[in-house]
Amino acid sequence: MKLTITKPALGGSVAAIASKSMAHRCLIAAALSSGSSRVVCAETSDDINATVRCLTALGAQITYENGVFTVVPIERPVQGARTLDCGESGSTLRFMLPVTAALGTDATFIMSGRLPERPLSPLYEELTSHGCAMTAPGHSPLYMSGQLQAGTYSIPGDISSQYISGLLLALPLLAGDSLIKVSGRLESKPYVDMTRDVLTRFGVKIRDAAGNYSVPGQQTLTAPETLTVEGDWSNAAFWLCAGALSREPVTVTNLNRGSIQGDRAVLSALERFGAVVNVEADNVTVSRTELHGIEYDAGDTPDLVPVLAAVAAVADGQTTIYNAGRLRIKESDRLKTVSETLSALGADVQETSDGLVINGKPHLAGGLVSAHGDHRIAMSAAVAACACSAPVTVDGAEAVAKSYPGFWTDYKALGGSVKEES
């Protein structure tokens, strides 16, 4: 689908959608628990639906009505081989591999898009050295069999925090105690903290021992009767950055300012750019003012890079974004696609090995860009349109459905005009 933004977002108010990252974790924990529960999640998406499909394939009964998932847990032991369709969701695959292994279930994992190409090492090696047999990664489908065994798991901290989160979800189910040894700096640590927070709500005990994680076995997950998924700072960041570029302020409601979500850091980043940020209760308002370039370490918040780059493109001076090398293994090579997208709109952007260097201009020109099948590229282009003097056409605009199916509707609610090209 090709959409042309004939008038960019002008300002107003929009409610943050439910956190995709938290929804994955809550649904998996609920499906592994000892009793039924309700997960309040105002919106769903392709990625969340992928996790629901996989849990249902393992025997959970999950229904969604009026913004609430009702979850009847997986009955154990799981009998017979199962097929799990992960779609293009990296979180789903990296969480469900160890969880399925902990259940001792033979399984076929189906992947689409760029997901088969995204790395699984060293999670793959750790699973196969602890009782599982798996076909070689890099292809779909991937076959797994065997029973995951307790023990010591060694994971470097600079590849994917999802490996650690997946193990944290799985290891409490095993008969013995386990230790996750994390080598080097743990990047995207807030996502691991989110996993631990959700598991704590289900009564799971995990001890942080000098950066490693000690996980007792034979734990029972006890589901709260109702669990509410809070607003998503990752997707709210697009609207907050739009506020820094739009004629009028943009307010995002339904945001927990005490959240442990790492992408809450968008507020401090925007303040450093020079935008005016006002927080009142669960409402955040961002207003435009004179912007200037910054240096930004993306180690803990790589998902913010595409939209912060759009802000940097019209911030006076130079912005350097670094420690973002992992963006090359997302739905697209995001360092490359961010650079190509903004350059096509008239920005001055250069890639580095692990980031971007952006020399700000007073405004961007507009033009045709490709979403490259990446939801965050499509949404960042829409935000960049707020700084363009001519329309912006986004080819592949449907990619937003991966995390935010209602994005274009909300864009229009903020004053934007969007037309589908034939």
Side-chain angles (χ1 to χ4, degrees):
M1 178 174 67
K2 187 182 290 185
L3 295 181
T4 295
I5 300 167
T6 55
K7 183 176 71 175
L10 300 176
S13 179
V14 64
I17 64 170
S19 166
K20 176 170 71 81
S21 296
M22 185 168 287
H24 284 305
R25 291 156 171 82
C26 290
L27 289 166
I28 292 171
L32 296 174
S33 69
S34 58
S36 300
S37 59
R38 300 167 74 249
V39 177
V40 179
C41 184
E43 298 86 10
T44 186
S45 66
D46 287 354
D47 277 9
I48 294 173
N49 293 339
T51 290
V52 170
R53 278 198 308 273
C54 290
L55 294 171
T56 301
L58 290 172
Q61 299 175 45
I62 303 176
T63 58
Y64 185 67
E65 187 175 1
N66 297 324
V68 179
F69 287 103
T70 301
V71 183
V72 178
I74 297 166
E75 185 175 338
R76 290 177 263 172
V78 179
Q79 303 290 341
R82 305 299 173 105
T83 298
L84 282 68
D85 180 0
C86 299
E88 200 178 356
S89 173
S91 295
T92 302
L93 177 65
R94 289 162 174 172
F95 293 169
M96 294 309 303
L97 278 170
V99 165
T100 304
L103 294 172
T105 307
D106 292 354
T108 299
F109 290 85
I110 307 296
M111 298 163 277
S112 61
R114 202 165 179 246
L115 185 55
E117 305 168 30
R118 295 173 66 179
L120 279 179
S121 293
L123 178 63
Y124 175 89
E125 288 80 7
E126 290 300 294
L127 295 178
T128 55
S129 65
H130 287 81
C132 296
M134 299 171 65
T135 55
H139 307 278
S140 179
L142 184 152
Y143 301 96
M144 182 176 72
S145 61
Q147 171 65 58
L148 192 66
Q149 300 297 315
T152 298
Y153 291 77
S154 298
I155 301 288
D158 62 350
I159 300 179
S160 175
S161 66
Q162 292 172 352
Y163 299 162
I164 298 168
S165 287
L167 290 170
L168 289 174
L169 290 163
L171 297 180
L173 308 179
L174 303 183
D177 299 345
S178 297
L179 177 68
I180 304 174
K181 296 183 68 175
V182 181
S183 58
R185 179 183 183 273
L186 174 54
E187 297 184 355
S188 295
K189 184 177 182 294
Y191 287 98
V192 175
D193 294 339
M194 186 189 303
T195 306
R196 294 182 63 197
D197 178 68
V198 168
L199 287 170
T200 296
R201 300 189 204 186
F202 283 79
V204 173
K205 299 184 184 304
I206 296 169
R207 187 167 63 89
D208 187 340
N212 301 317
Y213 298 97
S214 177
V215 186
Q218 293 186 311
Q219 297 194 60
T220 299
L221 280 70
T222 303
E225 183 178 338
T226 301
L227 198 64
T228 299
V229 178
E230 67 183 29
D232 190 351
W233 282 93
S234 297
N235 280 316
F238 292 97
W239 305 130
L240 297 173
C241 288
L245 302 178
S246 300
R247 297 179 187 174
E248 301 294 333
V250 173
T251 298
V252 183
T253 64
N254 189 38
L255 287 173
N256 174 14
R257 61 179 172 179
S259 172
I260 60 174
Q261 294 180 51
D263 286 345
R264 187 166 59 93
V266 66
L267 297 186
S268 61
L270 287 172
E271 287 177 328
R272 291 175 57 208
F273 272 117
V276 177
V277 177
N278 183 44
V279 181
E280 294 183 1
D282 63 353
N283 302 330
V284 180
T285 301
V286 176
S287 306
R288 181 172 186 168
T289 186
E290 185 176 343
L291 302 173
H292 51 80
I294 65 173
E295 290 194 357
Y296 189 75
D297 182 347
D300 282 338
T301 55
D303 286 344
L304 292 180
V305 168
V307 72
L308 290 180
V311 175
V314 290
D316 183 53
Q318 188 174 88
T319 294
T320 301
I321 298 172
Y322 61 97
N323 208 8
R326 287 172 299 140
L327 286 178
R328 296 197 182 279
I329 55 173
K330 296 289 188 177
E331 286 82 349
S332 67
D333 175 346
R334 282 189 185 149
L335 294 180
K336 180 179 180 182
T337 54
V338 167
S339 178
E340 290 180 353
T341 298
L342 292 177
S343 295
L345 297 178
D348 181 352
V349 187
Q350 291 85 40
E351 290 179 59
T352 67
S353 61
D354 74 338
L356 300 166
V357 176
I358 304 167
N359 295 302
K361 295 184 173 183
H363 61 82
L364 302 181
L368 170 66
V369 299
S370 171
H372 298 279
D374 191 327
H375 54 134
R376 298 198 187 279
I377 299 301
M379 292 188 281
S380 295
V383 172
C386 298
C388 290
S389 57
V392 171
T393 299
V394 182
D395 192 5
E398 71 278 5
V400 301
K402 190 173 193 296
S403 64
Y404 196 163
F407 176 83
W408 294 112
T409 298
D410 286 347
Y411 195 84
K412 294 175 185 177
L414 290 174
S417 296
V418 181
K419 179 181 70 174
E420 185 171 357
E421 301 290 342
S422 58

